[in-house]
Amino acid sequence: MRQRAKAEGIRITPETHGLEAMTKGCLGGSGFCFISHKGEVFPCGYLPALAGNIRQEPFKEIWENSKVFNDMRSPDKLKGKCGICEYRRVCSGCRARAYAATGDYMEEEPYCVYTPVKA
C-alpha cells in the first residue's frame, strides 16, 4: 500500500486509508505481548525471546525497560535488508521468523521479497 501510494504521489493519512494508515507490520513488543501461564513475558507467542517474568517484576518495568522490547521498538537496530529498508518503521518484518531462521530476532525477515531502494 505504501509503495503504491508513494509511486502515485498519494499521502497516506487516516482520512485516505483508514486504520491501515496507523498500523504497522510487526506489533510484537510495541502493541501487544504474550504472557505465559508461568508469568514469562515474550513479544509474541511465536517469538521465544524472554523479556521478563511478571512473578519477579512488575509488568510495567518489563514493558518499558526490557532489552527485548526496547530492541523491538527500535527499527534502526534492524539488521540485513530490514535495517536499510525505507519501510522499516511501518513494517519491521516478522521478528519471530527472523529468529527462527537465524537465532537473532533483529535479523532480516527471511520471507520478504521486497528489495529496498538502498540495497
Side-chain angles (χ1 to χ4, degrees), residues 1-2 5 10-22:
M1 172 189 80
R2 292 180 186 278
I10 298 170
R11 186 167 171 257
I12 295 177
T13 67
E15 293 75 34
T16 60
H17 291 79
L19 291 177
E20 293 196 17
M22 300 166 29

Side-chain angles (χ1 to χ4, degrees), residues 79-99:
K79 300 174 183 175
K81 72 178 184 178
C82 288
I84 62 167
C85 184
E86 63 272 27
Y87 297 108
R88 71 183 173 276
R89 296 189 188 287
V90 293
C91 173
S92 299
C94 177
R95 302 297 91 222
R97 285 194 296 252
Y99 181 81

